[in-house]
Amino acid sequence: MSGTVVVGVDGSASSLEAVDVAAREAKLRGGSLRVVHAFVWPMMKVPLGPSAMGPPEGGLRSLAQRTAEEAAARAKSSQPTVEVTHAVIPGEPLSVLTIESQSADLVVVGTRGLGGFTGLLVGSVAVYLTAHAECPVLVTRGRKHPTGPVLLGVDGSEVGDAAVGWAFKEASLRGAELVALHNWNAWTGPIAAGPSIQVPTYYDVDLYRAEEERVLTTAIAGWREKYPDVNVTPRLVQEYTRQALIAASEESQLLVVGARGRGGFTGLLLGSVSQAVLHHAECPVAVVRADRGHRHGHEHRPWHRHEHGPGDGQGDGAAQG
């Protein structure tokens, strides 16, 4: 891991808020901050320099440079001890930030940047990155200065284990309580009759609740041992996942979810619950994809998997399908 936090900026109010958050995240990790502005105009084949009648400091190239410099200065002013660099990189934001994520520990973006359509709750860059980035993505949204525990959405999926571990690490870094929330109801389970028709997989409600409680306990057990300093509150709720997480986010400083959880359709990169909290959570949302966890983390799993895994093949992990 590089210890680098990358923040995407475009001069919008949302991206400047992301700079403030990213600077704090870099300080929290003892790492550096890299401010990146994607300079899309060269792809449009338009003049980049100042016009003949304009000031020498005019033009799109100079504007892009000022955008990056001012954002970096803002970060340095708010966190003087953090090493801050900036770069203007030709390309569209989706590709530029995805490439940047390959060598970063965390990418931070605002919910909506310049050019976002009024009424949209979260921008295309944020949604795309959470589905494609090679490191966790933190989307700034909700309350300005959120306090409270770190909130983790747990669904028991194998692919979500990276998010569980990341949430424990974040809670440890922040000295915060970790609330591990897992939902259950009699009409959810791993078997569905069709894309929009689910049938109950358990008819004994008490048995189903006990199984889901075991899923939650198994998902966090080994990580509790690895992070004994983290005070963990398991929370099993009988409610739909997205509503439960959104409601709990009102009292949380950070919501951590996986990109796609148990029940997610193969080929989908971002689950419906992840998208829901990106649009409606009342605190910043971190989405952790399984890819990097599988490459860098599973050899360091805090528990050893039996032949069929802990939980008889149910898997372990964190939300969201």
Side-chain angles (χ1 to χ4, degrees), residues 28 149-151 164-179 227 229-232 253-254 256:
L28 188 66
V150 172
L151 175 63
V164 178
W166 198 85
F168 268 86
K169 181 179 178 181
E170 285 301 298
S172 180
L173 282 173
R174 298 161 187 266
E177 176 191 5
L178 177 64
V179 173
Y227 292 94
D229 59 310
V230 175
N231 179 25
V232 187
Q253 63 173 279
L254 174 67
V256 181

Side-chain angles (χ1 to χ4, degrees), residues 235-256:
R235 185 182 298 175
L236 185 66
V237 297
Q238 189 176 7
E239 190 176 357
Y240 287 109
T241 307
R242 66 193 70 183
Q243 289 93 327
L245 289 174
I246 291 168
S249 73
E250 296 177 1
E251 301 175 348
S252 304
Q253 63 173 279
L254 174 67
L255 169 56
V256 181

Side-chain angles (χ1 to χ4, degrees), residues 49-312:
S51 65
M53 303 297 292
E57 67 275 12
L60 294 172
R61 193 189 307 277
S62 294
L63 176 61
Q65 192 64 37
R66 286 197 304 273
T67 297
E69 290 174 351
E70 290 171 3
R74 178 181 178 122
K76 193 66 178 177
S77 176
S78 66
Q79 302 295 340
T81 61
V82 173
E83 178 188 351
V84 181
T85 59
H86 65 275
V88 176
I89 302 176
E92 46 84 27
L94 303 179
S95 298
V96 168
L97 291 175
T98 300
I99 292 171
E100 288 288 320
S101 75
Q102 295 173 2
S103 57
D105 275 1
L106 179 69
V107 172
V108 181
V109 292
T111 50
R112 244 181 353 109
L114 293 177
F117 293 98
T118 301
L120 289 181
L121 296 175
V122 66
S124 59
V125 172
V127 171
Y128 181 92
L129 278 176
T130 55
H132 293 87
E134 294 294 321
C135 70
V137 175
L138 178 60
V139 180
T140 59
R141 60 162 300 106
R143 310 188 313 281
K144 286 282 187 182
H145 300 287
T147 58
V150 172
L151 175 63
L152 166 66
V154 178
D155 75 350
S157 69
E158 173 68 18
V159 296
D161 187 57
V164 178
W166 198 85
F168 268 86
K169 181 179 178 181
E170 285 301 298
S172 180
L173 282 173
R174 298 161 187 266
E177 176 191 5
L178 177 64
V179 173
L181 187 149
H182 177 60
N183 80 300
W184 76 280
N185 61 74
W187 290 89
T188 59
I191 299 175
S196 61
I197 306 172
Q198 288 189 321
V199 297
T201 57
Y202 290 87
Y203 295 94
D204 186 326
V205 173
D206 291 335
L207 180 62
Y208 188 28
R209 178 187 173 90
E211 169 64 13
E212 294 305 303
E213 187 170 2
R214 186 199 60 76
V215 168
L216 174 57
T217 300
T218 301
I220 64 176
W223 294 107
R224 287 181 112 165
E225 297 174 7
K226 186 172 183 178
Y227 292 94
D229 59 310
V230 175
N231 179 25
V232 187
T233 301
R235 185 182 298 175
L236 185 66
V237 297
Q238 189 176 7
E239 190 176 357
Y240 287 109
T241 307
R242 66 193 70 183
Q243 289 93 327
L245 289 174
I246 291 168
S249 73
E250 296 177 1
E251 301 175 348
S252 304
Q253 63 173 279
L254 174 67
L255 169 56
V256 181
V257 296
R260 190 169 57 84
R262 185 172 59 176
F265 292 99
T266 301
L268 293 182
L269 295 176
L270 194 64
S272 61
V273 172
S274 301
Q275 294 215 37
V277 298
L278 283 175
H279 284 80
H280 300 291
E282 295 297 329
C283 68
V285 177
V287 178
V288 183
R289 291 183 64 212
D291 302 59
R292 176 168 282 194
H294 280 276
R295 288 196 301 268
H296 299 292
H298 280 196
E299 66 271 24
H300 303 299
R301 293 173 79 93
W303 41 259
H304 296 288
R305 180 176 299 280
H306 298 289
E307 182 179 355
H308 298 294
D312 302 320

